[in-house]
Amino acid sequence: MRQQAKGQIHERITAIPNAWYPIYLVRGEKRNLVIDAGVNLLGPRYYEVIRETLGDDQPLHYLFLTHSHYDHIGSAGYLKERFSGLKIGAHERLASLMQKPTVLDMMNRLSGNHVELHKYNPDAEDLTLCPFDIDIPLKQEGRFDLGGLTCCVYETPGHTKDSLSFYFPEIQALFPGESAGVLQGTTGSEIQVEFLSSYQDYIDSLKQMIALRPAILCLGHGWVLDGKDAEVFLQRSLAETYRYRELIETYLMSAGGDAQRATEEMAYTEYDVKGGIFQEKISYVTNLSAQVRHIAGLNGP
Ligand SMILES: [Fe+2]
């Protein structure tokens, strides 16, 4: 089955909308964890729904981040200020990126594009992304006991070098961030392939996730899949990644190996003409350019 990423997904999992930028609350018997921090402009909304779902007397113990993109860490600082004792966990690479003013400037610029989300900040709070500390560096084989649920950390690079996925074996629920791709199109039927840092790492990460055989798949954007749909999605995502690489190679070939021209032609055909991709065009082209350059061998391994 497939459902939008909002509301109760499982007795222990709540997806907190906006469905396109969801964050996931996982409640154990002893500890509570939020996965990802979405975009900055939704900070007040995320906070309100987490509070409502937990009740006034329940603390939020952990916030774990899947990767260092602005639409996955946007409200981390905001939530940390509001939940006392909240510990933020992420890959250690993310911690060093957070210290770079140029990275934060870019993230604030990208966040600022989401004018449609200003309505979720009715008190016009200052939601500028500021550096925040990583309290818990997360690594492969990290284990966190929430009480009846264990959060198992998997390093799943390929989308970014710092991509992590979180798996809860007791309920077979996997939170891959964007390590497994994104469902796109108006019906959510097309898979957008998301390797940015490394094609080969992305393939290896997908295989690692397929081997887990998750029964619930809470994607980084838009959708939650379960049962057969979860399994089929991961297999399709792998097949789509192979196909996408071939597509990029075709555009590169017709552009005579010129990565810039191949990117422009591919963006025109795939984004402008075919359409159905929700991502901002500027983000789409930035990502596509990285993918084309990577396949052209211009970005290192
Ligand atoms: Fe991302």
Side-chain angles (χ1 to χ4, degrees):
M1 200 182 89
R2 186 176 66 179
Q3 60 181 302
Q4 283 200 311
K6 52 183 177 187
Q8 191 158 3
I9 303 301
H10 176 275
E11 59 176 316
R12 298 266 166 212
I13 305 170
T14 306
I16 298 175
N18 169 323
W20 194 246
Y21 300 106
I23 66 173
Y24 293 99
L25 174 62
V26 183
R27 285 170 299 121
E29 286 155 14
K30 293 189 294 198
R31 292 186 190 86
N32 302 307
L33 159 69
V34 161
I35 293 173
D36 268 346
V39 283
N40 62 346
L41 291 171
L42 289 172
R45 189 173 196 210
Y46 296 142
Y47 173 72
E48 205 177 294
V49 181
I50 296 170
R51 249 295 137 251
E52 221 174 79
T53 311
L54 285 178
D56 285 340
D57 55 336
Q58 282 289 314
L60 178 62
H61 300 83
Y62 299 123
L63 168 62
F64 287 176
L65 304 171
T66 58
H67 65 290
S68 57
H69 281 165
Y70 82 97
D71 52 343
H72 294 261
I73 65 161
S75 301
Y78 182 89
L79 295 175
K80 189 161 184 174
E81 261 177 33
R82 277 151 190 83
F83 288 101
S84 77
L86 178 66
K87 299 256 183 281
I88 299 185
H91 195 289
E92 59 183 9
R93 274 177 175 276
L94 192 149
S96 51
L97 279 177
M98 281 301 93
Q99 302 311 317
K100 295 188 177 171
T102 49
V103 172
L104 283 164
D105 282 354
M106 187 186 67
M107 289 189 180
N108 276 312
R109 256 200 329 274
L110 289 168
S111 306
N113 290 335
H114 293 284
V115 280
E116 80 285 5
L117 299 177
H118 279 291
K119 61 179 180 237
Y120 295 111
N121 181 23
D123 300 332
E125 290 181 69
D126 179 6
L127 301 174
T128 309
L129 262 156
C130 299
F132 53 86
D133 290 333
I134 303 300
D135 305 294
I136 312 173
L138 299 176
K139 288 189 169 75
Q140 182 84 4
E141 296 185 356
R143 297 281 180 273
F144 296 84
D145 177 16
L146 304 185
L149 288 178
T150 314
C151 178
C152 303
V153 181
Y154 288 84
E155 291 182 23
T156 50
H159 176 56
T160 61
K161 289 181 181 170
D162 55 21
S163 288
L164 300 173
S165 297
F166 305 109
Y167 184 60
F168 297 82
E170 294 87 351
I171 53 174
Q172 293 174 272
L174 178 66
F175 298 77
E178 282 177 67
S179 301
V182 173
L183 273 172
Q184 281 282 2
T186 42
T187 58
S189 56
E190 288 163 38
I191 296 176
Q192 190 174 337
V193 175
E194 294 283 346
F195 69 84
L196 296 179
S197 65
S198 162
Y199 170 80
Q200 192 53 52
D201 285 353
Y202 190 83
I203 294 278
D204 294 343
S205 294
L206 268 170
K207 288 180 177 169
Q208 186 179 201
M209 288 184 271
I210 288 169
L212 291 171
R213 308 197 58 157
I216 305 172
L217 193 53
C218 298
L219 295 177
H221 294 288
W223 300 96
V224 172
L225 309 170
D226 63 14
K228 194 77 189 153
D229 280 352
E231 189 183 333
V232 167
F233 171 82
L234 290 175
Q235 295 288 357
R236 269 188 61 210
S237 188
L238 183 62
E240 192 59 19
T241 306
Y242 293 133
R243 193 196 68 82
Y244 195 65
R245 183 196 173 120
E246 283 170 16
L247 185 66
I248 289 175
E249 283 170 342
T250 309
Y251 277 99
L252 270 169
M253 218 182 310
S254 77
D258 181 332
Q260 165 108 17
R261 229 178 78 210
T263 302
E264 284 165 9
E265 282 166 15
M266 196 164 162
Y268 173 71
T269 308
E270 303 296 320
Y271 192 98
D272 297 333
V273 178
K274 289 192 189 166
I277 297 171
F278 293 150
Q279 197 175 23
E280 295 281 322
K281 186 164 180 189
I282 185 170
S283 305
Y284 173 83
V285 173
T286 304
N287 291 352
L288 179 62
S289 169
Q291 291 173 319
V292 173
R293 288 177 59 81
H294 180 67
I295 295 304
L298 299 173
N299 283 352

